[in-house]
Amino acid sequence: MKKRKVPLRKCVGCGERKNKRELLRIVKNKEDEINVDLTGKMNGRGAYICNSTECLIKAKKNNGLNRNLNTNIPDEVYDRLQKEIESHGK
């Protein structure tokens, strides 16, 4: 049997390449709203991050989400993302 290819994505916080299913997708849609995409299928520009607050803090510090989503992200959005990660996290 043929082995299926596993899609890998890079975390914007720590820079590790992991399986797409292990990471959270953060999406900016056409209305410039930023949301966590649990399905992985929302329309818009996406960035991937590990399911941990440490990676979110690193992404904020190195402006990884700002670069990948091509926008300036306010602190309120980071706070909301942190709450969502903690509710879905480990």
Side-chain angles (χ1 to χ4, degrees), residues 46-61:
Y48 290 87
I49 192 164
C50 295
N51 197 3
S52 69
T53 55
E54 293 86 23
C55 283
L56 183 64
I57 292 168
K58 287 180 188 177
K60 182 178 180 180
K61 191 174 185 179

Side-chain angles (χ1 to χ4, degrees), residues 1-9 17-21:
M1 283 194 18
K2 196 172 184 181
K3 222 176 185 182
R4 293 194 91 184
K5 186 176 176 184
V6 178
L8 297 177
R9 298 293 183 263
R17 294 180 64 86
K18 295 185 178 181
N19 185 339
K20 182 179 174 182
R21 301 253 181 230

Side-chain angles (χ1 to χ4, degrees), residues 16-83:
E16 283 187 47
R17 294 180 64 86
K18 295 185 178 181
N19 185 339
K20 182 179 174 182
R21 301 253 181 230
E22 295 175 16
L23 300 172
L24 287 177
R25 183 169 184 249
I26 299 172
V27 178
K28 180 187 86 167
N29 61 16
K30 289 183 181 180
E31 290 81 33
D32 287 337
E33 297 171 348
I34 298 172
N35 298 310
V36 175
D37 179 14
L38 298 175
T39 64
K41 297 181 181 182
M42 287 177 79
N43 289 334
R45 182 150 184 95
Y48 290 87
I49 192 164
C50 295
N51 197 3
S52 69
T53 55
E54 293 86 23
C55 283
L56 183 64
I57 292 168
K58 287 180 188 177
K60 182 178 180 180
K61 191 174 185 179
N62 68 15
N63 292 321
L65 282 177
N66 293 351
R67 267 195 316 272
N68 284 336
L69 298 179
N70 294 332
T71 188
N72 189 17
I73 300 175
D75 288 336
E76 302 87 46
V77 174
Y78 280 110
D79 294 338
R80 184 170 49 86
L81 290 175
Q82 185 170 358
K83 288 177 186 173

